[in-house]
Amino acid sequence: MARNNKILVPEARAELDQLKARVMKEKGYSVNPAKPDNVKYEVAKEQGIPLKEGYNGQLTSEQAGKVGGPIGGNMVKEMIKMAQEKMKKK
């Protein structure tokens, strides 16, 4: 699973990585804050998906979605919650 997603503000990468680490840790995953992307291997193992480092072209899109979905989905939920809290303060 190569990192092909483009961040509109490249300077935000560190903050997004911190968010990923915090959110996935809250969901019960063991996350190395220095390498939050590695949580995908734990999610894959939990789902029974043979994700390995490097090229994973053998995975179906359904399998890839079962790995990335929980990670990205939980990050989006947290960002929405953060935005709602910020709006309440205005």
Side-chain angles (χ1 to χ4, degrees):
M1 296 178 88
R3 184 180 263 178
N4 292 331
N5 55 340
K6 242 187 185 173
I7 299 217
L8 295 176
V9 181
E11 297 83 11
R13 169 60 64 196
E15 291 293 327
L16 287 170
D17 284 345
Q18 287 177 2
L19 175 66
K20 182 187 296 182
R22 182 173 57 83
V23 167
M24 295 310 286
K25 189 174 252 186
E26 288 172 2
K27 293 293 177 185
Y29 293 94
S30 58
V31 181
N32 177 350
K35 294 184 177 186
D37 269 354
N38 287 349
V39 74
K40 65 187 170 190
Y41 300 110
E42 188 175 345
V43 173
K45 185 176 179 181
E46 183 179 270
Q47 299 286 334
I49 297 169
L51 182 69
K52 61 185 185 306
E53 285 191 47
Y55 180 72
N56 283 283
Q58 80 285 357
L59 295 181
T60 66
S61 31
E62 180 182 7
Q63 289 173 315
K66 285 182 179 180
V67 174
I71 297 169
N74 284 312
M75 288 177 67
V76 169
K77 286 177 189 174
E78 181 62 21
M79 287 186 273
I80 290 170
K81 191 168 92 178
M82 291 165 59
Q84 289 172 332
E85 290 298 318
K86 191 171 185 176
M87 289 171 59
K88 284 181 187 177
K89 291 178 182 178
K90 285 189 172 187

